Amino acid sequence: MRAEYSDWSGLMINLKVKLSDRSYPIHIGNGAFEAALAEFEKARAASKKLFCVADAAVAAKHKTKLAALSKTAEIFEINGGESSKSLANVEKLCSILAEKNIDRKSCLIALGGGVIGDLTGFVASVYMRGIDFYQLPTTLLAMVDSSVGGKTGVNIPEGKNLVGSFHQPRAVFADTRFLNTLPRREFAAGMAEVIKCAVLGDRALFSMLERESLSCKHSKLPEAIRRCCRLKAEIVSADERETSKSGGRALLNFGHTFGHAIEKCAGYGNYLHGEAVGIGMLMASRLADKLAGAESGNFDRIKSVLRKCGLPVKLSKLEAADMLEAMYRDKKTLAGKLKFVLADKIGESRTEHVDSSDVLSVLEDFLR
Ligand SMILES: NC(=O)c1ccc[n+]([C@@H]2O[C@H](COP(=O)([O-])OP(=O)(O)OC[C@H]3O[C@@H](n4cnc5c(N)ncnc54)[C@H](O)[C@@H]3O)[C@@H](O)[C@H]2O)c1
């Protein structure tokens, strides 16, 4: 059980992902960007070259920060958005790195959301058989989820994230001031991942979310991000490659089996990933009710927090049978068995194989 929620604001928070010689720090808060600049200056003084892949929208909106970064790193801009996570961009970036004589001792920097982080991390993992990289996340989703844990990758026409690697960053610097320019809908989508962490393993965080409406400038946001990163860091330290037979890193997929099916069946781009995961968590909560009799009121509590964050809680025009089929095709479904993360209580979760008839009946209820 987590400690009670502590009010926190102003200072920078540091925590660590423990992976023996690949352990790394996560710096969160107002000031993390300056901490990153200091680290890059040291790297440059040690004759390392630094090459930054920056989200073009971030570069346009944070010109002063980019100018400061350009003193230590060469900057290359790429558009955010899912279509940038492509093998074509991997090839393009690798060619640029080679042309610029970026060597094995050099470091890449990912400045952007999950798209830039996943793409740059993947390039860092394959260029010259792997070079170092840093994560500077600029979306809430990237701060609480994608920048931590070392999953990198790109999409191919056959599916999302089908080409990828595990490659941990040297450090993560999550400066919350970047969130001031993040569109409201993207912020809300990131909140879905915060809610996910709370339901999975942090009852105190969940209670705080029931009481407060977090925004990018809310004094409790950095503490909420820290709690999500801490949960992810603990899970990743124990099961880096998601090989645990039960629980482990797979717990982070709470709401995702339903969520991926929603994204696919509604057509990619109609729901943001976080929006689909939010509804997915509600469906998973119904499933837990049906199977084991989850703590009463869970479903309504999750629904009310999702609503408060401006996330959708209903779906229409999707067919239950199509969604079930999409789940069987999901790359996380192994040997034809559907596995779900179930939270019987807020703050406690487990993984379980579930019969397709139970899943179908939850889908039919939900889509009625
Ligand atoms: N590696 C992992 O463990 C992991 C985990 C979860 C999600 N992901 C991946 O993350 C990706 C989604 O990430 P995302 O939601 O951050 O999307 P994104 O990177 O596409 O960013 C969303 C939008 O916000 C813009 N943006 C980014 N930062 C901004 C800022 N500070 N101000 C204004 N605009 C800004 C981007 O240009 C983009 O249009 C997906 O590809 C998903 O597969 C990876």
Side-chain angles (χ1 to χ4, degrees):
M1 182 74 67
R2 297 284 173 203
E4 269 316 294
Y5 195 82
S6 57
D7 200 315
W8 184 92
S9 61
L11 297 167
M12 210 170 64
I13 313 173
N14 303 311
L15 59 139
K16 200 168 194 177
V17 181
K18 292 184 188 141
L19 289 165
S20 59
D21 61 337
R22 289 172 302 118
S23 297
Y24 57 94
I26 307 171
H27 308 277
I28 304 159
N30 180 334
F33 182 73
E34 284 70 19
L37 291 182
E39 170 122 357
F40 301 156
E41 191 48 61
K42 269 195 253 160
R44 206 179 56 150
S47 314
K48 292 188 177 188
K49 284 187 192 166
L50 293 147
F51 185 90
C52 171
V53 181
D55 183 305
V58 175
K61 290 184 166 122
H62 297 270
K63 291 204 168 90
T64 315
K65 286 195 179 62
L66 266 286
L69 183 57
S70 69
K71 291 187 183 145
T72 46
E74 181 150 359
I75 296 171
F76 183 79
E77 292 179 26
I78 287 198
N79 289 333
E82 210 52 44
S83 60
S84 289
K85 262 175 63 170
S86 65
L87 282 171
N89 273 340
V90 174
E91 186 175 1
K92 182 168 160 185
L93 282 169
C94 288
S95 297
I96 294 171
L97 297 178
E99 277 163 23
K100 295 193 178 292
N101 294 320
I102 297 292
D103 59 20
R104 271 193 207 126
K105 277 173 61 196
S106 307
C107 304
L108 300 190
I109 300 165
L111 176 73
V115 162
I116 298 297
D118 281 9
L119 169 69
T120 310
F122 183 64
V123 169
S125 77
V126 292
Y127 181 72
M128 295 209 167
R129 297 199 180 84
I131 64 173
D132 286 345
F133 86 114
Y134 292 94
Q135 288 272 18
L136 269 65
T138 63
T139 63
L140 183 57
L141 179 139
M143 289 183 189
V144 298
D145 193 358
S146 62
S147 66
V148 175
K151 280 192 183 175
T152 79
V154 294
N155 308 322
I156 55 175
E158 289 73 15
K160 273 183 74 174
N161 298 323
L162 283 187
V163 177
S165 62
F166 285 94
H167 191 56
Q168 301 291 345
R170 297 295 297 173
V172 179
F173 297 92
D175 196 313
T176 41
R177 287 170 297 177
F178 280 110
L179 301 177
N180 295 343
T181 56
L182 188 67
R184 205 178 263 256
R185 190 176 168 200
E186 295 288 351
F187 185 85
M191 281 305 296
E193 301 288 352
V194 176
I195 299 167
K196 177 193 84 176
C197 289
V199 176
L200 278 185
D202 195 337
R203 208 172 167 90
L205 175 59
F206 192 85
S207 302
M208 190 279 287
L209 295 174
E210 286 180 309
R211 291 193 303 273
E212 314 254 357
S213 289
L214 291 191
S215 64
C216 62
K217 288 193 175 149
H218 197 294
S219 65
K220 288 180 179 165
L221 183 68
E223 170 70 2
I225 296 172
R226 179 185 77 84
R227 283 175 172 261
C228 296
C229 288
R230 180 178 65 179
L231 182 81
K232 185 152 186 190
E234 283 170 4
I235 289 177
V236 168
S237 299
D239 182 26
E240 184 185 6
R241 294 195 169 227
E242 206 169 317
T243 48
S244 176
K245 288 218 163 53
S246 67
R249 193 164 181 162
L251 287 174
L252 295 166
N253 298 329
F254 178 52
H256 283 62
T257 312
F258 286 113
H260 288 158
I262 294 169
E263 281 183 278
K264 178 147 206 299
C265 295
Y268 286 110
N270 283 316
Y271 287 92
L272 294 180
H273 177 70
E275 293 170 340
V277 166
I279 301 173
M281 289 192 282
L282 280 181
M283 291 176 163
S285 168
R286 270 279 177 263
L287 191 59
D289 275 345
K290 189 176 170 63
L291 294 176
E295 194 174 44
S296 95
N298 270 3
F299 179 89
D300 290 332
R301 287 177 75 191
I302 298 173
K303 187 172 177 178
S304 138
V305 171
L306 288 168
R307 267 217 185 101
K308 199 155 169 236
C309 293
L311 287 158
V313 292
K314 276 192 188 149
L315 268 181
S316 55
K317 295 186 195 143
L318 295 187
E319 292 294 329
D322 294 345
M323 279 190 59
L324 189 65
E325 196 192 324
M327 286 181 202
Y328 275 109
R329 288 176 187 268
D330 194 298
K331 75 176 194 298
K332 303 227 170 181
T333 300
L334 297 176
K337 284 188 177 167
L338 293 175
K339 195 175 181 184
F340 287 84
V341 181
L342 301 174
D344 298 325
K345 290 183 175 175
I346 300 283
E348 287 175 36
S349 44
R350 63 192 166 87
T351 53
E352 189 177 314
H353 287 292
V354 179
D355 283 345
S356 61
S357 55
D358 289 322
V359 180
L360 193 61
S361 103
V362 164
L363 286 169
E364 281 167 351
D365 275 357
F366 208 94
L367 296 168
R368 191 171 291 154

